[in-house]
Amino acid sequence: VRSCRVYLNDLNPGKALILKTFLYLCHAVCQYFVDLFWQRQDFGGQLSDLPTVHRGVERFGITTRLAQALAKQAKETLRSQHRKHKKRKPRLRRHVVTLFYHFVKIEAMRSGFFDWAVRLIGSGAPRLVLPVHSTRLIKRRLQTGWTLAKTIRLGMDGSRLFIDFLFEKDRPALREAGRVVGMDSNYK
């Protein structure tokens, strides 16, 4: 899996404000779930139970599907911190949210100026169409056999909004036979 970042420089100010408000909300919800799971000492990889998800729904007024996605993102953050030798409760600094195929649809743009249309289709995300230019790296990845995933990362770098497109490629098959070149056995 690889990613390509595209900054949304040509976005209308109204859409940019809606996206920034959405990112601030997602940041607050994700930090709430991090605090909740840290308090419970819940570092497992399984999905959150429904009463926990509904606590986020009632507190922030979001949909259940969005709350589940943000709880999953909080669990991934906790698991990465829990593996460290010195364990500290993570404090989220970046405003980034992973939007799965429930929330987003990526299509080729029909007009000539933009290359991609990223449609936020609801389920907790604002209903918007984000026009995106393609980059050389995106074109190169598509030409060399990578496929565009249905998941994106939407985020904010300072005051600039960006989308990280995720690309997937099948692993090549391992070679069954080969010749032995040498061996190191740590003896002089």
Side-chain angles (χ1 to χ4, degrees), residues 7 28 31 93 134 139 169 179:
Y7 285 96
Q31 185 64 53
R93 298 174 193 268
S134 190
K139 291 176 184 175
K169 192 173 191 179
R179 62 185 181 95

Side-chain angles (χ1 to χ4, degrees), residues 134-147:
S134 190
T135 63
R136 276 187 237 154
L137 185 58
I138 290 175
K139 291 176 184 175
R140 191 177 331 137
R141 289 243 167 97
L142 289 173
Q143 289 172 352
T144 56
W146 292 85
T147 58

